[in-house]
């Protein structure tokens, strides 16, 4: 691992594990089932075409749930790092909750979209959204009843990949937090970062599928190991 004094630019990838201790279910725990459906069978454009009510109900439930949850010590520690880190820093999150932002982080990129936005497939405008979509409300912009969750489904391209790869090119350190390393392209970032010369660190409850790609891995609950790492980085 590169000496900490050499580290200027940081890219942090977060996944469901960072929000687990806030009470938001991860995807691959407990069999990953929702009402007997595999998440992979609900989170696809094909599922939405086949049974839109099922898919809208699933996302309505999750959108409602996240609004009752609070950021945890890992989100707050990352927000502190974001606020105090003097060089480039980007938190690339696979999470569609807003807990990084509610903890105070500003440099956050949602590569899989956001629960609290609705995307109009008629006019392409994204609108802030906290209510349900199951009753097919009109788009606030164009009035068409064509809103869908602004969440990236399996088979769709994640958002803002160019920005992510640009940040990885500049990164001296890549840190992956609370993600199983099962879903690409995010699971491949560690290899991109390595090839581009960055040091790599995994912080996860257990060894992820890609753990061997990291220079260093620390395993434990995010609320413990993330604040410890942030303290090291900030020299507190
Ligand atoms: P997963 O559910 O696949 O993985 C969560 C990871 O967090 C696992 O490796 C757990 O061991 C770890 N974990 C659980 N509790 C933790 C804790 N308290 N502290 C630290 N780590 C903990 O979630 P993701 O990797 O985020 O995509 O899943 C990636 C993508 O798959 C999601 O963004 C979603 C899903 O399908 C889309 O919706 C497009």
């Amino acid at each position: 691992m590169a000496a900490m004094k050499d580290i200027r630019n940081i890219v942090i990838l977060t996944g469901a594990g960072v929000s687990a201790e806030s009470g938001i279910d991860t995807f691959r725990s407990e069999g990953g089932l929702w009402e007997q459906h595999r998440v992979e069978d609900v989170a696809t454009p094909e599922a939405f075409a086949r049974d839109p009510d099922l898919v809208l109900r699933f996302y309505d439930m999750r959108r409602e749930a996240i609004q009752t949850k609070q950021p945890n010590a890992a989100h707050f520690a990352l927000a502190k790092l974001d606020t105090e880190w003097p060089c480039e820093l980007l938190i690339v999150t696979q999470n569609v909750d807003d807990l990084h932002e509610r903890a105070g982080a500003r440099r956050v990129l949602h590569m899989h979209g956001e629960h609290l936005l609705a995307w109009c497939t008629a006019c392409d405008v994204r609108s802030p959204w906290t209510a349900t979509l199951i009753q097919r409300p009109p788009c606030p912009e164009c009035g068409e009843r064509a809103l869908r969750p602004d969440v990236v489904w399996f088979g769709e391209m994640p958002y803002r990949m160019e920005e992510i790869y640009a940040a990885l090119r500049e990164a001296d350190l890549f840190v992956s937090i609370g993600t199983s390393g099962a879903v690409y392209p995010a699971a491949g970032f560690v290899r991109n970062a390595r090839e581009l010369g960055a040091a790599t660190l995994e912080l996860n409850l257990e060894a992820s599928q890609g753990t061997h790609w990291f220079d260093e891995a620390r395993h434990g609950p995010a609320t413990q190991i993330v604040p410890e790492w942030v303290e090291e980085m900030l020299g507190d």
Side-chain angles (χ1 to χ4, degrees):
M1 180 109 170
M4 289 294 168
K5 66 176 170 40
D6 296 332
I7 289 168
R8 293 168 52 80
N9 302 332
I10 306 175
V11 173
I12 298 164
L13 173 69
T14 67
V18 83
S19 294
E21 290 164 87
S22 294
I24 299 177
D25 289 344
T26 62
F27 290 92
R28 288 169 185 80
S29 59
E30 314 267 325
L33 290 180
W34 175 74
E35 293 188 6
Q36 310 311 315
H37 303 282
R38 291 191 311 145
V39 170
E40 287 84 344
D41 294 338
V42 183
T44 67
E46 293 78 11
F48 188 53
R50 190 172 56 235
D51 191 349
D53 279 6
L54 174 80
V55 176
L56 291 175
R57 215 151 39 81
F58 173 73
Y59 284 98
D60 282 353
M61 182 198 71
R62 290 192 77 107
R63 188 181 313 102
E64 190 182 353
I66 64 153
Q67 295 178 70
T68 68
K69 310 298 181 190
Q70 302 305 326
N72 64 47
H75 297 106
F76 285 114
L78 292 174
K80 181 172 195 272
L81 184 66
D82 176 29
T83 307
E84 298 184 13
W85 191 253
C87 302
E88 295 296 324
L89 178 146
L90 182 64
I91 300 171
V92 177
T93 188
Q94 299 169 88
N95 297 344
V96 291
D97 65 52
D98 62 340
L99 297 184
H100 283 306
E101 288 90 342
R102 277 201 267 146
R106 291 290 165 265
R107 293 181 274 184
V108 182
L109 185 162
H110 284 271
M111 66 177 290
H112 289 166
E114 296 178 57
H115 268 321
L116 298 181
L117 290 177
W119 173 21
C120 178
T121 56
C123 72
D124 202 30
V125 168
R126 277 131 172 121
S127 303
W129 206 266
T130 52
T132 54
L133 291 172
I134 187 84
Q135 72 283 26
R136 312 298 198 284
C139 168
E141 202 61 32
C142 74
E144 289 290 323
R145 295 181 184 275
L147 294 172
R148 60 163 271 185
D150 190 17
V151 166
V152 174
W153 288 327
F154 287 96
E156 296 182 325
M157 189 60 84
Y159 296 156
R160 300 169 67 182
M161 294 304 294
E162 287 301 317
E163 272 172 78
I164 297 171
Y165 287 122
L168 286 171
R169 279 194 292 276
E170 299 303 316
D172 304 302
L173 174 64
F174 171 77
V175 188
S176 173
I177 305 177
T179 176
S180 60
V183 175
Y184 284 81
F189 291 164
V190 60
R191 271 177 278 170
N192 301 122
R194 277 179 81 96
E195 282 160 13
L196 294 162
T200 53
L201 170 66
E202 168 169 283
L203 303 176
N204 203 45
L205 189 60
E206 61 204 355
S208 73
Q209 291 186 21
T211 194
H212 52 279
W213 292 105
F214 291 86
D215 298 324
E216 186 186 342
R218 301 182 191 175
H219 297 141
T223 55
Q224 247 172 46
I225 61 179
V226 175
E228 283 167 11
W229 169 69
V230 167
E231 276 178 34
E232 271 172 50
M233 293 305 294
L234 293 175
D236 286 356

